[in-house]
Amino acid sequence: LILPPYFGVVGSWLPVLERLRSDCPSIQVIALFARGQRIIGQVDPNDMLARLVDGLLDEVIFESWYGHLLCAPGLKEAAALCRHRSLPRGLSVLIKQLQRSNLTKGLGRMIEQLAVRAAIRRHGNANRLRLEDLSEAVRAVCYDVSEGSDPVVREARLQFRNAYWFSLPHGIDIRTRVSRFSKVALKSPEHHNRTTAFLSSGEEVETYKAGFGLPETHIRVTGVPRHAPSWVARVRQAADDMPTSRPYIFLVSRPANESFFPGSRKREAVQHVRRLAEHLGCDVVVRRHPKEYEEGVYEPLTKRPAKDSAWHISSLHPFALGSKAMLAVTFFSSVAVDLIATECPVIEHCNFLGL
């Protein structure tokens, strides 16, 4: 069972689980998305990472907005089920607006409860699954120990207490701040004695001991599995046709965010890349963040290319795009570090002045 709160955790575990499946073909791999419907709704079925994951999974489990755990044979089917059973947009907007005010918050909760009851009556137990139904079958759980306070993770700890638990970080940052994770250890110290954690760096050992309460015998410094040359080569081989045959800059995008990446600064950064590409006479290939939607930034550039520089949107894996790029530009992204595995030069371009 892989237990990801974010889709990025699946990417961290993917090379490990694919090797395990190769060595043990009879094993089944199930994904339980801890932040269910929201994460499933963000999955692009055409995304290369999603296709690699879908080829590995035997079942996908996610939490519906009305509380039931639903199961589907793959990510595409889960996304379709999610759309079919989503809360009507107008009702969702109304509930959110009512809950913003203390005067109408109670009314918003009441409407939401009525909607939940109506959904349960309508859908019944179709596609429904309970974690206890898997308690005998799950032998190992793959997750990130830093997400141990998530409600679904806590329930999984109870249901799969006899399973082996293994942890890999879903980011690329080196975890050296003990105080950041102290609450995780306090909530379930007995569970962490059954968890083996794989670390990116030896500098993280004390954090995992003090912050997560893990005994040193359950800590392994392994580096970053997805940076293994064999996995990078595997991703390159699985890549479809590249979006352009010309030299290109690989731009790793992300959504605008008022706290550290306001829309005005995003547009400014994109224009910096545009001017550089036109100066070099090369194309630009953009890979969007899973949470990113069209903000009017890239559409004009893809529709009206310059004389010697065209823009393309791609859903290929960063390893596939980075391995053939002249250089990459990232906007405050851990992909900047991941691209070291492809030997692609990277510029991390984000202006934090005054924020």
Side-chain angles (χ1 to χ4, degrees):
L1 180 77
I2 181 168
L3 187 55
Y6 308 105
F7 202 64
V9 176
V10 187
S12 296
W13 276 105
L14 189 55
V16 179
L17 293 175
E18 188 169 86
R19 174 64 183 271
L20 182 62
R21 171 64 69 83
S22 175
D23 293 345
C24 186
S26 62
I27 199 168
Q28 285 194 313
V29 181
I30 299 171
L32 169 59
F33 284 91
R35 294 174 192 173
Q37 184 156 338
R38 180 165 56 88
I39 302 302
I40 292 293
Q42 292 168 359
V43 175
D44 176 3
N46 297 315
D47 185 279
M48 184 179 176
L49 177 59
R51 286 187 277 119
L52 287 170
V53 170
D54 229 1
L56 178 73
L57 297 178
D58 295 286
E59 195 169 49
V60 173
I61 303 169
F62 65 97
E63 187 175 21
S64 68
W65 68 269
Y66 51 90
H68 284 184
L69 286 178
L70 304 179
C71 60
L75 286 170
K76 286 185 180 179
E77 294 84 356
L81 190 62
C82 180
R83 287 192 297 271
H84 177 64
R85 300 206 185 169
S86 63
L87 179 64
R89 179 167 177 77
L91 189 57
S92 175
V93 171
L94 174 63
I95 291 170
K96 287 179 181 176
Q97 287 179 340
L98 290 172
Q99 291 182 343
R100 284 177 185 158
S101 168
N102 289 330
L103 293 173
T104 58
K105 190 180 293 183
L107 178 60
R109 285 202 202 100
M110 185 178 72
I111 294 173
E112 186 174 30
Q113 288 169 1
L114 290 172
V116 166
R117 291 175 188 172
I120 293 173
R121 281 198 303 271
R122 178 182 177 187
H123 300 302
N125 290 321
N127 298 95
R128 188 183 179 186
L129 180 139
R130 298 174 303 172
L131 287 188
E132 51 262 39
D133 298 335
L134 298 172
S135 58
E136 297 298 322
V138 173
R139 302 297 180 85
V141 179
C142 304
Y143 79 131
D144 182 344
V145 69
S146 71
E147 302 295 335
S149 58
D150 187 282
V152 176
V153 177
R154 291 203 303 268
E155 185 183 352
R157 281 203 299 260
L158 293 174
Q159 298 298 335
F160 311 132
R161 53 185 172 274
N162 295 322
Y164 296 98
W165 287 67
F166 301 97
S167 171
L168 264 179
H170 65 270
I172 202 66
D173 57 311
I174 302 301
R175 294 173 171 174
T176 55
R177 289 170 51 202
V178 173
S179 59
R180 180 180 169 191
F181 303 110
S182 56
K183 291 181 181 179
V184 177
L186 290 173
K187 288 196 174 184
S188 55
E190 74 292 339
H191 165 74
H192 295 124
N193 288 328
R194 298 194 301 272
T195 297
T196 298
F198 301 109
L199 278 56
S200 302
S201 166
E203 295 180 17
E204 298 178 301
V205 172
E206 290 305 314
T207 301
Y208 275 76
K209 285 167 61 179
F212 297 120
L214 288 174
E216 194 161 355
T217 53
H218 288 210
I219 295 173
R220 306 281 188 274
V221 179
T222 57
V224 185
R226 64 181 181 274
H227 290 182
S230 58
W231 176 247
V232 176
R234 160 81 174 86
V235 172
R236 286 172 176 167
Q237 291 168 4
D240 297 324
D241 292 339
M242 300 302 290
T244 177
S245 59
R246 300 183 69 242
Y248 65 89
I249 296 171
F250 173 30
L251 175 56
V252 182
S253 188
R254 70 175 307 114
N257 182 300
E258 288 307 312
S259 62
F260 61 85
F261 196 39
S264 59
R265 295 198 183 186
K266 177 177 181 176
R267 290 188 291 273
E268 180 184 39
V270 169
Q271 290 305 311
H272 291 167
V273 176
R274 180 187 64 79
R275 288 197 292 271
L276 176 62
E278 291 177 4
H279 175 74
L280 296 174
C282 65
D283 287 358
V284 180
V285 176
V286 181
R287 179 178 166 85
R288 289 197 181 111
H289 189 278
K291 297 180 182 178
E292 185 177 7
Y293 299 96
E294 179 54 51
E295 300 166 323
V297 176
Y298 299 116
E299 191 174 12
L301 294 167
T302 56
K303 288 185 174 180
R304 294 189 294 274
K307 181 181 177 182
D308 297 315
S309 179
W311 285 63
H312 313 268
I313 306 295
S314 176
S315 59
L316 288 179
H317 194 284
F319 286 165
L321 294 171
S323 63
K324 295 186 178 181
M326 298 169 58
L327 62 101
V329 178
T330 61
F331 295 156
F332 193 51
S333 172
S334 62
V335 177
V337 181
D338 279 335
L339 288 176
I340 292 172
T342 70
E343 299 183 355
C344 176
V346 184
I347 299 170
E348 169 54 40
H349 184 42
C350 207
N351 178 9
F352 299 112
L353 287 174
L355 297 179

